[in-house]
Amino acid sequence: MDIYEIIKKPILTEKSTAGIAVKKYAFVVDVRATKTQIKSAVEQLFNVKVEKVNTVNVRGKFKRQGRNEGYTSKSKKAYVKLKEGEKPIPFFEGLV
């Protein structure tokens, strides 16, 4: 898998923005990606060293629109913590 296929987009919520101060970042990643693949993709993409990766599988929510009903697609979140002394990711610097 390519690094751009593994990391889809950053998550910019109130909870994830609070983690930026302690160098903990959140991303939406491919459902098939493993922790080691996520770690190497973040290291290659942002030129940083990753200490730890936590992942969360998010199941699809049940939705109804009139008579139609179904589930939204499932996804996976990754919370990435950088090593001590590492510079912050430049994309997130203006958000704190």
Side-chain angles (χ1 to χ4, degrees), residues 39-88:
K39 179 180 178 178
S40 65
V42 169
E43 287 178 348
Q44 289 176 11
L45 196 59
F46 299 111
N47 296 323
V48 293
K49 295 291 181 189
V50 175
E51 178 183 334
K52 187 169 147 180
V53 177
N54 293 333
T55 58
V56 178
N57 286 312
V58 181
R59 66 178 182 188
K61 289 184 177 181
F62 182 73
K63 297 284 184 175
R64 273 194 300 209
Q65 182 98 25
R67 283 188 242 179
N68 300 327
E69 56 185 33
Y71 288 89
T72 60
S73 57
K74 61 183 178 178
S75 62
K76 190 176 203 176
K77 295 185 210 175
Y79 293 96
V80 177
K81 178 149 176 63
L82 301 184
K83 288 188 176 180
E84 287 295 322
E86 197 63 38
K87 61 180 173 56

Side-chain angles (χ1 to χ4, degrees), residues 8-63:
K8 294 185 177 181
K9 62 182 180 179
I11 299 175
L12 301 174
T13 60
E14 189 173 350
K15 180 182 177 183
S16 67
T17 308
I20 293 173
V22 290
K23 297 182 185 172
K24 194 168 190 180
Y25 304 97
F27 298 98
V28 174
V29 295
D30 190 80
V31 179
R32 300 165 293 172
T34 63
K35 289 183 179 186
T36 54
Q37 289 175 331
I38 295 167
K39 179 180 178 178
S40 65
V42 169
E43 287 178 348
Q44 289 176 11
L45 196 59
F46 299 111
N47 296 323
V48 293
K49 295 291 181 189
V50 175
E51 178 183 334
K52 187 169 147 180
V53 177
N54 293 333
T55 58
V56 178
N57 286 312
V58 181
R59 66 178 182 188
K61 289 184 177 181
F62 182 73
K63 297 284 184 175

